Amino acid sequence: MNGVAGVEHAVGGRGTLCGISARHTTRYRHLFVPDALRSCRRCRQEAEAAPTQPCVQERLHGRVLDSAQGVLRDELLAALRTGANVRLWINGRSTDLAKFYAGLDELTDGAEPAAEAFAAAATIGLANVEHDHWRFLVVLPEDGRPPIIARGPRALR
């Protein structure tokens, strides 16, 4: 976010963290880098003092810890720790929508348990994670059962 020419500010709900009203700013959406030379000192202090929230990789990592131990689980956990791309994470009632995004026919490892989980659930979640040449599917049953991990080759575009 740009305020005074050359100075970058962090933006909150109503304006910058240092108090400039949103109507007096021009916004460019990108990550605010607190320690950048052009960052507003007060915005930097406010951003650094703000409580942090776990990122999508950390939240999914926590869920995957409850899955059955094995090679797929270990590889996925390692990928999430290095910031693997979580392309999609959906939860809800529409198992048809989840099946569409699951791409069960493209999976090579763990496809059968994943398909069984979709068949058994009234509501279900899923996450697609891309890492190296793999697309991991994490099936997230919403009935308390542990997550199920499957994977297949990633379509490189």
Side-chain angles (χ1 to χ4, degrees):
M1 208 280 326
N2 252 342
V4 176
V7 177
E8 291 198 2
H9 297 271
V11 176
R14 296 182 179 202
T16 67
L17 296 185
C18 66
I20 301 171
S21 169
R23 68 174 175 238
H24 297 296
T25 62
T26 302
R27 288 178 247 167
Y28 301 93
R29 291 187 184 258
H30 64 89
L31 290 176
F32 177 71
V33 181
D35 58 350
L37 292 176
R38 301 178 86 181
S39 296
C40 166
R41 185 175 52 215
R42 181 140 180 244
C43 285
R44 174 185 310 133
Q45 292 167 344
E46 294 293 324
E48 289 173 346
T52 60
Q53 297 180 10
C55 66
V56 67
Q57 288 88 355
E58 290 171 317
R59 293 192 322 264
L60 187 56
H61 186 279
R63 296 284 305 269
V64 170
L65 287 173
D66 293 334
S67 65
Q69 292 186 4
V71 173
L72 290 181
R73 176 183 182 255
D74 294 344
E75 289 180 12
L76 178 56
L77 289 171
L80 290 169
R81 282 191 295 271
T82 62
N85 186 14
V86 180
R87 296 282 297 165
L88 175 74
W89 185 344
I90 59 175
N91 295 299
R93 294 184 182 157
S94 177
T95 56
D96 290 337
L97 180 64
K99 282 181 190 175
F100 173 79
Y101 285 109
L104 295 170
D105 57 331
E106 301 166 3
L107 300 174
T108 56
D109 301 308
E112 189 174 319
E116 289 172 4
F118 277 104
T123 61
I124 201 156
L126 75 85
N128 275 323
V129 179
E130 294 179 347
H131 182 69
D132 289 335
H133 296 287
W134 295 107
R135 177 182 65 91
F136 290 89
L137 170 69
V138 184
V139 181
L140 301 160
E142 296 184 358
D143 61 2
R145 289 181 292 141
I148 297 161
I149 302 166
R151 76 173 178 191
R154 181 176 148 207
L156 299 175
R157 295 178 187 135

